[in-house]
Every structure is written in structure tokens, then in C-alpha cells.
Amino acid sequence: MNDLIERAIDAATGSGAAYADVRIVEHQAESLTVKNGSLAAASSERSAGFAVRVLVEGAWGFASSQDLSLDESQRVARQAVAIARASRLAGGPAVVLDDTAPAAGHWGTPYLEDPFAVSFEDKLRILFEADAAMAQARGITLREATMEAARDRKLFGSSEGARLEQDLVSCGAGIVATAVNDQEAQERSYPKSLGGQVVGGGFEAIRDMDLSGHGQRIAEEAVALLDAPQCPSGEMTVILEASQVAIQVHESCGHPTELDRALGMEASFAGTSFLTVDRLDRFRYGSDIVNIDADATAPGGLGTFGWDDEGVSAQNVPLVSGGQFVGYLTSRETAPVINRRSMGSSRAASWRNLPLIRMTNVSLRPGEAGSLDDLIADTDEGILLGTNRSWSIDERRLNFQFGTQVGWLIRKGKLAGMVRNPTYTGITPRFWGSCDAICGPGAWTQWGEPYCGKGEPMQTASVGHGAAPARFRNVQVGVGQW
């Protein structure tokens, strides 16, 4: 494969490219779904291909192929150069890359148990045991247990001299119990919704989840929600459990700190950002205890790697420090616009796609509020909201509304009853400005979101969000009607 990289770079630069990079990616994935005691779906896929990206007179050209022959590498490289020349005709400012030094090396996801080496029978046993546990709850209508794994072997080379090799492994699982009556359906998930918990790592992460140990509990909660009172409405103190904080960070901090959005480059599809460039280092995003960083080096993160798809080393950079907006997610093309060097967040969904700015592991740092039980005990009156059910946020990522699967009222420091269909709404900086407590490191989890969508055509990316339960004051709760 190294010969393919060298041949493609020579063909591109020999045809007039001032810069060229080549990515070769072999992708492997599998998934299993057990539904109501039966195997409902099983899939396995492999793909391999390469992409050539070039700069000619300051314009990008990109082409890809699944034919990994040397002759095809030259053809695709020359096609990318021709596309760049055509793109130059459209005008616009010339692309200037930052001065990131070319790197060389190998990086692999640390793991103990290769998920692709675990037997099909062992994986099904875990899912069927979880299904049986959920079936213990009387009145449950639908039970679903899922498991997935992925591996990407990547080679990267550039005309600047970068030569990189990576082996990225991820896997995860989750269970969902749904109860239905004549009026509505209620759902509970574990460890989280939206496909369960997925991590960068090996099958040991799935074994540690103990899906069957939580099956009956979440199924009984789904049934109980059918008869629970409707979530009250009004301005309240809200505690978000950790996975809901993670999705809050994703939507209201991760996306608005993507510099391509802030510059308007994604406006036609993904939207823009209220965190405009003139606000960098000058805007109060949240309270003094709010510290959010983008850490591509975080153990177990879905956004953890050795280098991004431009060959920039994984880094941990602050986005919000002490409540102040201080940083963006950047690429080699966009970072010079704000007089910085790329922090390494440019990634492509596959060998077929052009790299975009994507979140790495955008995480809320833990605070000093102890455990979730400690935080509840410290709250005189409010509501605890758990497990994401829905979200809506405007294209600038400023006004939002979230729904969660379950809520528990809090009175005098104790849980005082379940409520159904909870929702809350807010304006991003005002909401984070009301954050007055964040649980400590013992309550902090690195959550994975494997299907973040962005770009046109759409690309999905695996990203991570570390979060602990957090408390917010004076939040509007109970919006919407059921």
C-alpha cells in the first residue's frame, strides 16, 4: 500500500499539485439485534479504498476509488488535479494550509479483547440474557438489545512527507424496553439511548456493561412511566444525569465550536454558529465552573486517535475555560483564519469522503459536587432528568429544547416520584451560565456518539463526550403538550 501512496503523490505533484495527500482505509463493521427473544438482524460489512486530495492554485480537488491498483492510483490523482483546476474557475480566496510539521508513526486503539475475535455465540448469549431480563417485567411490550463493532485501518501520506498508520477499534451495546397502552408509548434505555454506549476499545467494555443486570429495572421503569404523572411545567432547578449532559454538550458546545460552521462554510446544510469569530476570547459562554475541552487523546473515547485525516497529531485543547469561550475545533485550512495552527479535528467518514471538521471528544470537565446522590441531597427542590429522548436546536445552536425518557421530582434533597414526558428548553449561554454544580471525577463517564451527522453529502462520525451529572438553576421545564 505504501507504493500506492508514493505513486499517487508523484502523479499529483507531477500534474501540477502544490500539495497532495493520500488516505487508504480498510473498514470492517458488524452489528447484531435481538428483539423480543429472537435474532432480528445480523450484519457484517467490509470495504476498502483510497482517496487523493490535492491543492492546485489554492483550490481543492478530490477523487477516490476502491480499485487499489497502482495504475488506478495515478488515474485518480490526475483526476483530483483536474477537479482542482475546475474548482479554481469558481474563484474565491485561495486555500492556505497551516504549517503543521509532517509526522510519521503508528498508533492503535488500546484494547484487551478484539471484538472481531469474540464468537458469534458469545455475543448472542449476552444479548439474549439481556432480553430475558427485560422480559421479567410484567407489561413490557417491546424488548430490543443491540451490539456493534467497527475497525478502521488507515494509511496516510502527504507530499510534505507525512507517513502514518492507524488501527482504530470501537464497540458498544445497549438495551431498550418499550411499554405501550392505549394512550402512549414509554421507553427506557441502558446505558443510554441513541444506540447505547459505544467506546473506543475492546469487547471488555461490553462485558463491563452488565446488560442483563439492568434489563429488568429499565423494563419496570418503562411500564411505570405509563401511569406516572405528566411532568409539571415552570421554572425549576434541573439536574441532568451524565448521558444527558453529554448530548447537551454535543449540541450546544460541540457543534457551535466547529470553525467551518462559524465561518459559514457549512451554512447550507449543517448551519452556522452563534460563536462567531469576533467572540473568540471575548465571550462568556457559561458560569465560572464550566470547563469544556476537545481531547482526542482521551482513553476510551470514540473521538480518540493518533492523527486526524490531515495528519495532525491528537491534542487536548480548551474550548471553554472558566466559562469563557477560548477555542474552536479546526482544520489545517481554517485554523490560519484565526491565526492558529490546526488542533486536529479534520476527519472523513470513509475513504469515499472529503475530511470535514468533526468533534473529537468534546467533554465537560468534572467539578467538585461529589456523586449524583450528593448532588440530589444538596438540592432542596427541583427535577432530575435522565436519558435523552428528543432534541431540537436552531441552526446557530443558540435556542434548544430537549426531551428525556424520565424525570424524578426532588424535594428536600430526596427523589419524590417519577414523572413522564419531561422536557426543558433554554438559550445556550444563559443555560450554561446557570450551571452551579458539577459532580466529581467518580461520576464522570466518557460517552460515545457513533452517528453524528454533518456535511453535504451527509457524513456520519464517531465522537465522544465526557460528562458528569450537573445542576442548572431557573430552567424552563415542561414545555410542549402530550
Side-chain angles (χ1 to χ4, degrees):
M1 291 299 103
N2 289 326
D3 289 343
L4 186 151
I5 291 175
E6 303 300 338
R7 192 74 69 91
I9 290 174
D10 288 346
T13 55
S15 301
Y19 169 85
D21 62 39
V22 181
R23 284 183 299 113
I24 305 173
V25 181
E26 179 185 357
H27 176 71
Q28 180 182 6
E30 67 174 33
S31 65
L32 294 170
T33 300
V34 167
K35 189 176 292 185
N36 280 2
S38 299
L39 176 61
S43 68
S44 177
E45 63 174 292
R46 284 178 180 266
S47 73
F50 73 99
V52 180
R53 188 178 69 153
V54 302
L55 273 177
V56 178
E57 298 176 7
W60 284 119
F62 177 83
S64 63
S65 174
Q66 59 184 346
D67 179 352
L68 294 169
S69 68
L70 295 180
D71 288 345
E72 179 71 352
S73 72
Q74 293 176 304
R75 186 195 69 79
V76 169
R78 291 175 184 131
Q79 183 181 43
V81 170
I83 291 171
R85 288 205 166 95
S87 298
R88 182 68 268 165
L89 298 177
V95 173
V96 177
L97 300 181
D98 71 7
D99 60 353
T100 295
H106 175 274
W107 190 89
T109 303
Y111 61 82
L112 298 176
E113 192 173 9
D114 186 342
F116 292 95
V118 177
S119 70
F120 183 66
E121 291 75 13
D122 198 13
K123 293 171 180 173
L124 281 182
R125 177 188 58 76
I126 292 172
L127 296 180
F128 277 117
E129 288 178 354
D131 178 84
M134 289 188 283
Q136 296 299 309
R138 296 184 62 183
I140 200 69
T141 307
L142 177 63
R143 314 179 304 272
E144 185 170 301
T146 59
M147 185 180 294
E148 65 182 70
R151 163 172 270 137
D152 283 295
R153 292 189 173 95
K154 296 183 176 183
L155 292 173
F156 176 88
S158 75
S159 58
E160 295 173 334
R163 296 294 184 272
L164 304 169
E165 184 175 359
Q166 300 191 78
D167 182 15
L168 308 178
V169 178
S170 64
C171 64
I175 53 177
V176 185
T178 305
V180 180
N181 64 14
D182 293 340
Q183 303 297 318
E184 59 186 299
Q186 292 291 340
E187 191 173 275
R188 290 290 288 134
S189 306
Y190 172 83
K192 59 185 278 298
S193 58
L194 307 174
Q197 166 70 325
V198 185
V199 304
F203 200 77
E204 65 275 9
I206 292 179
R207 297 192 192 280
D208 289 344
M209 289 178 190
D210 186 20
L211 297 179
S212 62
H214 294 268
Q216 184 172 350
R217 173 184 62 80
I218 67 157
E220 290 175 347
E221 288 178 355
V223 174
L225 278 168
L226 293 174
D227 296 320
Q230 173 71 29
C231 176
S233 62
E235 202 169 78
M236 300 183 190
T237 293
V238 166
I239 296 176
L240 299 183
E241 56 90 31
S243 71
Q244 181 60 28
V245 173
I247 196 70
Q248 183 79 48
V249 169
H250 179 98
E251 301 293 353
S252 67
C253 183
H255 279 306
T257 55
E258 294 164 343
L259 184 53
D260 53 352
R261 294 181 66 119
L263 295 174
M265 299 165 69
E266 290 291 316
S268 63
F269 183 70
T272 59
S273 173
F274 74 96
L275 293 174
T276 48
V277 172
D278 60 301
R279 288 179 164 175
L280 183 61
D281 293 323
R282 299 185 181 90
F283 183 75
R284 176 152 286 279
Y285 177 89
S287 66
D288 290 346
I289 65 171
V290 174
N291 295 283
I292 299 174
D293 56 31
D295 185 3
T297 70
L302 269 188
T304 298
F305 45 76
W307 300 270
D308 74 355
D309 287 337
E310 293 187 314
V312 179
S313 298
Q315 301 166 39
N316 181 8
V317 298
L319 302 178
V320 175
S321 181
Q324 291 289 330
F325 166 49
V326 297
Y328 280 110
L329 301 161
T330 61
S331 64
R332 292 191 64 190
E333 175 184 356
T334 58
V337 176
I338 57 172
N339 298 315
R340 295 188 183 182
R341 184 178 291 144
S342 174
M343 44 68 68
S345 65
S346 188
R347 291 189 289 156
S350 79
W351 54 267
R352 301 180 182 89
N353 300 109
L354 195 66
L356 300 172
I357 292 178
R358 307 310 302 258
M359 295 176 227
T360 56
N361 302 298
V362 178
S363 302
L364 176 68
R365 288 294 113 201
E368 300 176 347
S371 68
L372 176 58
D373 288 342
D374 293 334
L375 188 56
I376 293 170
D378 185 56
T379 303
D380 186 56
E381 188 163 351
I383 187 169
L384 169 65
L385 302 179
T387 316
N388 186 262
R389 185 180 185 183
S390 65
W391 67 94
S392 174
I393 188 164
D394 69 59
E395 68 158 19
R396 297 178 66 216
R397 303 281 152 170
L398 192 58
N399 298 278
F400 63 81
Q401 176 182 322
F402 288 96
T404 62
Q405 291 183 350
V406 65
W408 287 273
L409 298 177
I410 300 171
R411 293 196 181 98
K412 299 187 183 305
K414 295 182 179 178
L415 297 183
M418 177 187 287
V419 294
R420 73 179 194 276
N421 302 329
T423 58
Y424 65 99
T425 187
I427 297 174
T428 298
R430 189 179 303 167
F431 179 79
W432 285 105
S434 75
C435 181
D436 75 339
I438 304 169
C439 290
W444 193 89
T445 299
Q446 181 65 252
W447 299 96
E449 298 293 344
Y451 304 111
C452 173
K454 184 182 175 184
E456 194 174 20
M458 170 74 82
Q459 297 187 40
T460 58
S462 296
V463 305
H465 302 292
R471 185 173 64 194
F472 303 83
R473 300 290 191 180
N474 305 314
V475 178
Q476 188 65 40
V477 173
V479 294
Q481 298 291 322
W482 275 268

